[in-house]
Amino acid sequence: MALVTAPHVPEPAAADAAPVPHRVAVLAVDGVIPFELSLASRLFGAATDAADRPLYDVVTCSLDGGPVRTAADFAITVPHDARVLATAGTVVIPASEEFAEIVDGAALSAPLARALEHIPAGTRIVSICIATYVLAAAGLLDGRPATTHWRHAERLGQLFPQVTVTPDVLYVDAGEVLTSAGAASGIDLIMHLIRVDHGSAVANLVARRCVVPPQREGGQAQYVDRPVPPATDAGTAATRAWALDRLHEPLRLEDLARHAGMSRRTFTRRFRAEVGQSPGQWIARQRVDLARELLESSDLSVARIAERAGFGTDVSLRQHLHAAVGVSPGAYRRTFRA
C-alpha cells in the first residue's frame, strides 16, 4: 500500500537511442544499515532496456569521502564525498543508527546539513526507514505527506507537526520527496520509482532478477505488533488468489467470504489484518494494476480494458486510474508506450 500524490514521469527517449543512465547517488552516513544501503545499487542496477543497457548509474558517497562505519561488524570505503550529490537526479538516504539522535530530538549535524546543501532544487530525494527524520529536520517535508517505520511514526508527528504523517503505508510519493517505512519497504519504494520511470515491464524484469515482488500488497499496518491468530484460523490468501482470476467479474463481499468459508464480518477482519486494506480497497487496487498493465502491453480500447479489469465502464476506469496515478488512461498509455 502506498500514498502517491505526484508521480514523476521522465521524458521518453527515442526508441532506437541508447539511454542516458539516470544517476542515483546514495549517501552513506556512519552507522548505516547495510541492508538499506544495498537496495539502490541492487535494484536500480538491475534495470536495463530491451538491449540490456543500464537505465541507472548508481554511485555511493559519504559525507567526506572517507570510510563509513556500518551498523554491522564491518566498514566500507566509498569513491565519492557529498559533492557528488550535485550530479544526481535521484538521491537516496538509507537509515543509519546515528539518525536515532534526530529521533530523540537532536538537530541535523553540521556535516550532514552541509551535505544536503549539495543537492540541487528539483532533485528527487528518497529516504528509507528513519532517514525520513533527516528530511523532516532539513525542512524538506514541510507541508508534505510522509511515512517512516511504524514504531517511530507518532514521534515524527510530534517533532515535526508541519509534516503530514501517514503511518499505515509502505511508502509515500510526494513528488520530489519520497519516504518509505522500515527496511524492506525501501524495496517497495525503489520498485515504484522504476515502474514510474520506465513502466511495468522493466519493473517486472527487475523483480524477476532480484526475486522480489514487483508490487507488495497492503501497508505496514500488517506488520505492527499484534496478537498472532490461532493456527487453526483460516487465512484469506487462497481467496485473494481466487479473486485475482476473476477481476472481470462482480466480486461482492459475500462472494469472497463464502469462498473463504467465513462470515462477512470475520472475513473482513481477517482480510484487513493480513493485507492492511479492506477487501474493496484491495480489489480496486488490483483492478487498477491490471488496467495499467493492459494499457502498456495491449492495443485494447479503453472501454475493453475497463471490462477486462472489472470496472464496467471507461468512465469508472478513468476515475479510478486518475485517483491512483493522477492521469487519464490515454495519457498513461502515451507515456509508457512512447
Side-chain angles (χ1 to χ4, degrees), residues 9-193:
V9 180
E11 291 295 325
D16 57 349
V20 176
H22 176 93
R23 171 158 281 193
V24 178
V26 183
L27 177 60
V29 176
D30 271 346
V32 67
I33 311 299
F35 177 78
E36 280 93 325
L37 175 63
S38 68
L39 296 180
S41 60
R42 187 67 188 94
L43 296 169
F44 284 124
T48 59
D49 66 4
D52 207 31
R53 296 172 296 201
L55 295 171
Y56 298 92
D57 167 36
V58 184
V59 297
T60 305
C61 67
S62 65
L63 297 178
D64 58 4
V68 178
R69 175 184 57 81
T70 74
D73 61 344
F74 59 87
I76 60 169
T77 58
V78 296
H80 305 284
D81 61 26
R83 289 175 296 180
V84 80
L85 299 176
T87 71
T90 298
V91 171
V92 178
I93 306 178
S96 164
E97 288 182 331
E98 292 203 352
F99 298 161
E101 297 178 357
I102 307 176
V103 177
D104 289 338
L108 291 180
S109 68
L112 181 53
R114 286 195 297 270
L116 298 180
E117 291 175 357
H118 289 290
I119 303 174
T123 301
R124 192 165 59 180
I125 307 176
V126 177
S127 70
I128 300 176
C129 195
I130 62 170
T132 299
Y133 278 78
V134 173
L135 305 188
L140 296 172
L141 292 175
D142 290 359
R144 298 179 187 266
T147 194
T148 190
H149 193 288
W150 59 266
R151 290 179 61 190
H152 303 289
E154 183 177 359
R155 177 65 170 165
L156 181 66
Q158 292 170 348
L159 283 179
F160 306 101
Q162 63 274 36
V163 179
T164 304
V165 180
T166 309
D168 58 348
V169 297
L170 294 173
Y171 60 85
V172 173
D173 179 342
E176 293 178 355
V177 185
L178 303 94
T179 54
S180 63
S185 61
I187 297 174
D188 300 286
L189 178 48
I190 293 174
M191 292 301 301
H192 163 72
L193 289 175

